[in-house]
């Protein structure tokens, strides 16, 4: 009966949306650095830590207000107790362990063994309890029992809780953790030197009535002070033998310091790029609206320069480290991420709908741009994507990948877009045409002999009557585009008109050009 009740309750908790939602909320509040409200909890807990330590320092020589003492001993300790219990709760799921065991045993057609489930629960929870951070959390609660004055010193352990809340401390810990073996080797070497030098100096000085080193503890104290090159001078050897030992210890101390310094320097040097990357990602997540450029080759550089000049924020990602270094040298935020991998966008920690104006796939390789577009569309189906098209054979692939606009340099529109790269709002215009007014089109109309005969100049076209905007004329024989041409610009066979307007008006205008016979 009890087993059935435990299993039913475990299944209830595991499938309860309300329970899982609350647990997820507290987990994110305490453990997820990406959760926007976590920083407020961190600031609050840091403030409590400094208050409790301040009270401890104050009461050494001065009377502390009873209410403040009560707040430090009970209220703060109680808050830390609640935090400890919440972390203990969200660290692992008891219900999931029981359900997993029940499903495993049921699948094998045998009776559910709750003993193994509870054994696993105890193991998981115990591993959490003995973890360094959990031990510090537990010690931080000890001042709650303030009647035992010795436990008051555990207030100092609250300082170590700063490692939970300050990212700089976490970064320091992660950096030093990469050199565990080296630091262990250093610690063993220092311990051996201290032990040997302590015994030697005690043997040399212990029976000398003029020597201040009379006990093994004093010998150990002297060794630590000497090997650290601090040299207080309060305890010094007086015999020739003792001074000889001191010289050896001093040399060993220099070696220990040099080894320690080199470890710190090498650890930070190796992790420096990673630290910078984390800082860059944090900066990106703070931006409100920006363009994401995938690739940083020739066209991308010009696009980035013009977008930047017009006041747009841009972020560049490229798997080629050389391109990223060039982008950083040019003053842009750039990350060495692969544009075609989902993990890259997860690392950016951004909401594409809220933060990204548009994504520009500007690698000069169609396959890479297609893969990038497919990856982006698997994450977000709405974001505007513009891509370079190097080979017209791949146009259908890009359409299938969900690319909104393709820039094909061999086409007229490609040439015009290339021309517009120098205009600060070019991509803004393209983005608005595609995303806000899907029925507005950019089209090209070929000039036939019939049109030349009836409409010899730009001023004769009458496009304004059809609410069609003429962007320019492309002279094929001269291989030149005339932006916003004068009314007296002559039209010739083989020219192209680039027009913008509602599709229905463009069709009517085109029909008019091919059927209208000019009067007079």
């Amino acid at each position: 009966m009890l087993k059935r009740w435990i299993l039913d309750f475990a299944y209830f908790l595991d499938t309860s949306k309300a329970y899982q939602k609350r647990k997820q909320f507290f987990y994110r509040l305490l453990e997820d650095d990406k959760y926007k409200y976590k920083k407020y909890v961190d600031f609050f807990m840091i403030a409590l830590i400094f208050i409790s330590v301040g009270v401890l320092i104050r009461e050494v020589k001065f009377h502390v207000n009873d209410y403040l003492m009560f707040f430090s001993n009970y209220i703060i300790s109680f808050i830390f107790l609640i935090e400890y219990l919440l972390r203990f709760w969200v660290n692992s799921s008891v219900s999931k362990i029981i359900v997993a065991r029940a499903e495993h045993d049921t699948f094998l057609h045998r009776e559910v063994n709750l003993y193994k489930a509870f054994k696993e629960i105890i193991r998981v929870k115990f591993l959490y309890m003995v973890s360094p951070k959990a031990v510090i959390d537990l010690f931080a609660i000890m001042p709650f029992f303030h009647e035992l004055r010795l436990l008051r010193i555990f207030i100092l352990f609250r300082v170590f809780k700063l490692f939970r809340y300050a990212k700089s401390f976490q970064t320091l810990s992660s950096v030093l953790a990469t050199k565990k073996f080296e630091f262990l080797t250093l610690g063993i070497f220092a311990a051996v030197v201290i032990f040997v030098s302590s015994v030697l100096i005690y043997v040399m000085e212990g029976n000398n009535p003029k020597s201040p080193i009379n006990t093994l503890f004093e010998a150990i104290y002297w060794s630590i002070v000497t090997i650290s090159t601090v040299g207080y001078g309060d305890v010094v050897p007086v015999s020739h033998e003792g001074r000889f030992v001191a010289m050896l210890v001093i040399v060993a101390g220099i070696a220990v310091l040099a080894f320690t310094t080199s470890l710190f320097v090498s650890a930070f040097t190796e992790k420096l790029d990673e630290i910078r990357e984390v800082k860059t990602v944090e900066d990106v997540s703070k931006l409100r609206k920006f363009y994401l450029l995938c690739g940083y080759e020739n066209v991308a550089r010009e696009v980035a320069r013009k977008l930047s000049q017009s006041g747009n924020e841009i972020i560049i990602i490229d798997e080629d480290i050389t391109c990223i270094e060039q982008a950083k040298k040019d003053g842009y935020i750039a990350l060495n991420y692969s544009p075609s991998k989902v993990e890259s966008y997860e690392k950016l920690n951004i909401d594409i709908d809220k933060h990204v104006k548009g994504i520009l796939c500007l690698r000069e390789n169609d396959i890479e741009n297609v893969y990038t577009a497919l990856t982006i569309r698997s994450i977000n189906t709405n974001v505007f994507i513009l891509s370079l098209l190097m080979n017209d054979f791949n146009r259908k692939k890009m359409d299938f990948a969900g690319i909104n606009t393709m820039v094909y340099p061999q086409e007229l529109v490609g040439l015009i877009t290339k021309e517009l790269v120098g205009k600060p709002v070019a991509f803004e215009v393209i983005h608005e045409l595609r995303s806000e007014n899907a029925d507005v089109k950019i089209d090209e109309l070929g000039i036939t002999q019939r049109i030349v005969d009836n409409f010899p100049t730009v001023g004769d076209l009458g496009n304004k009557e059809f609410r069609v905007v003429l962007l320019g004329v492309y002279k094929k024989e001269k291989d030149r585009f005339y932006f916003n041409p004068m009314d007296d610009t002559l039209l010739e066979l083989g020219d192209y008109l680039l027009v913008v307007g509602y599709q229905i008006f463009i069709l009517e205008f085109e029909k008019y050009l091919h059927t209208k016979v000019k009067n007079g």
Side-chain angles (χ1 to χ4, degrees), residues 230-325:
V230 174
Y232 290 124
D234 55 341
V235 178
V236 294
V238 295
S239 66
H240 293 297
E241 296 84 355
R243 289 173 179 173
F244 178 74
V245 172
M247 288 189 289
L248 296 178
V249 175
I250 291 171
V251 173
I254 295 173
V256 170
L257 282 179
F259 191 13
T260 305
T261 304
S262 64
L263 282 181
F264 275 95
V265 171
S266 62
F268 278 97
T269 301
E270 292 173 6
K271 298 283 285 186
L272 189 59
D273 289 339
E274 184 178 330
I275 294 171
R276 286 176 177 170
E277 181 180 303
V278 171
K279 181 64 171 62
T280 302
V281 171
E282 289 177 357
D283 292 340
V284 169
S285 63
K286 294 175 183 177
L287 296 177
R288 293 189 176 181
K289 282 289 185 180
F290 59 86
Y291 282 102
L292 184 62
L293 272 63
C294 300
Y296 194 69
E297 295 174 291
N298 296 325
V299 175
R301 290 175 189 172
E302 186 65 19
V303 171
R305 185 173 67 85
K306 293 303 178 182
L307 286 176
S308 182
Q309 286 178 353
S310 61
N312 291 289
E313 298 284 355
I314 60 173
I315 307 298
I316 298 165
I317 60 174
D318 198 314
E319 59 189 358
D320 189 337
I321 188 62
T322 305
C323 293
I324 291 301
E325 289 174 353

Side-chain angles (χ1 to χ4, degrees), residues 299 362-367 369 387-394 398 407-410:
V299 175
L362 302 179
R363 295 298 296 272
E364 296 173 11
N365 183 303
D366 289 343
I367 301 301
N369 288 334
S387 175
L388 283 177
L389 175 63
M390 306 306 295
N391 189 331
D392 193 54
F393 177 78
N394 296 315
M398 289 197 170
V407 178
Y408 184 38
Q410 281 68 39

Side-chain angles (χ1 to χ4, degrees), residues 14 22-23 53 80 119 126 145 192 203 241 254 265 268 299 307 317 362 366 370 463 499 513:
D14 196 50
R22 291 190 182 93
K23 187 169 185 177
V53 174
F80 286 154
K119 185 178 179 181
F126 178 76
F145 309 97
V192 170
V203 171
E241 296 84 355
I254 295 173
V265 171
F268 278 97
V299 175
L307 286 176
I317 60 174
L362 302 179
D366 289 343
V370 167
N463 55 287
V499 295
L513 292 179

Side-chain angles (χ1 to χ4, degrees), residues 247-500:
M247 288 189 289
L248 296 178
V249 175
I250 291 171
V251 173
I254 295 173
V256 170
L257 282 179
F259 191 13
T260 305
T261 304
S262 64
L263 282 181
F264 275 95
V265 171
S266 62
F268 278 97
T269 301
E270 292 173 6
K271 298 283 285 186
L272 189 59
D273 289 339
E274 184 178 330
I275 294 171
R276 286 176 177 170
E277 181 180 303
V278 171
K279 181 64 171 62
T280 302
V281 171
E282 289 177 357
D283 292 340
V284 169
S285 63
K286 294 175 183 177
L287 296 177
R288 293 189 176 181
K289 282 289 185 180
F290 59 86
Y291 282 102
L292 184 62
L293 272 63
C294 300
Y296 194 69
E297 295 174 291
N298 296 325
V299 175
R301 290 175 189 172
E302 186 65 19
V303 171
R305 185 173 67 85
K306 293 303 178 182
L307 286 176
S308 182
Q309 286 178 353
S310 61
N312 291 289
E313 298 284 355
I314 60 173
I315 307 298
I316 298 165
I317 60 174
D318 198 314
E319 59 189 358
D320 189 337
I321 188 62
T322 305
C323 293
I324 291 301
E325 289 174 353
Q326 181 62 48
K328 290 179 179 178
K329 189 181 295 184
D330 293 340
Y332 304 119
I333 298 176
L335 292 163
N336 187 209
Y337 292 168
S338 173
S340 59
K341 292 183 178 179
V342 175
E343 293 81 1
S344 300
Y345 303 94
E346 291 176 347
K347 289 179 182 178
L348 282 174
N349 189 29
I350 57 173
D351 186 329
I352 292 180
D353 286 325
K354 293 181 179 179
H355 295 144
V356 180
K357 287 184 179 180
I359 297 178
L360 313 181
C361 302
L362 302 179
R363 295 298 296 272
E364 296 173 11
N365 183 303
D366 289 343
I367 301 301
E368 291 180 359
N369 288 334
V370 167
Y371 275 121
T372 298
L374 287 171
T375 300
I376 294 166
R377 283 291 177 240
S378 70
I379 301 171
N380 187 290
T381 57
N382 300 319
V383 66
F384 170 77
I385 303 177
L386 179 145
S387 175
L388 283 177
L389 175 63
M390 306 306 295
N391 189 331
D392 193 54
F393 177 78
N394 296 315
R395 185 182 294 275
K396 289 185 178 180
K397 295 177 183 178
M398 289 197 170
D399 279 331
F400 178 78
I403 293 172
N404 301 100
T405 298
M406 285 168 272
V407 178
Y408 184 38
Q410 281 68 39
E411 288 182 338
L412 173 62
V413 176
L415 292 172
I416 303 310
T417 305
K418 186 177 180 182
E419 182 75 18
L420 290 177
V421 166
K423 309 298 185 293
V425 295
F427 281 98
E428 294 281 357
V429 172
I430 293 173
H431 174 63
E432 290 301 314
L433 287 174
R434 296 297 299 180
S435 61
E436 297 293 334
N437 303 294
D439 51 344
V440 175
K441 303 295 182 182
I442 299 178
D443 207 350
E444 54 184 283
L445 306 178
I447 299 296
T448 62
Q449 187 61 50
R450 184 183 185 88
I451 294 175
V452 173
D453 293 338
N454 292 288
F455 308 95
T457 66
V458 169
D460 296 323
L461 290 170
N463 55 287
K464 293 182 180 178
E465 297 177 12
F466 292 85
R467 298 174 64 184
V468 172
V469 177
L470 177 66
L471 286 180
V473 178
Y474 175 65
K475 298 284 187 181
K476 186 176 181 181
E477 290 192 3
K478 296 181 181 180
D479 191 26
R480 182 177 176 185
F481 178 74
Y482 293 85
F483 187 81
N484 192 22
M486 303 292 288
D487 286 346
D488 59 357
T489 301
L490 293 175
L491 298 176
E492 301 172 271
L493 183 64
D495 291 352
Y496 288 92
L497 305 176
L498 186 73
V499 295
V500 178

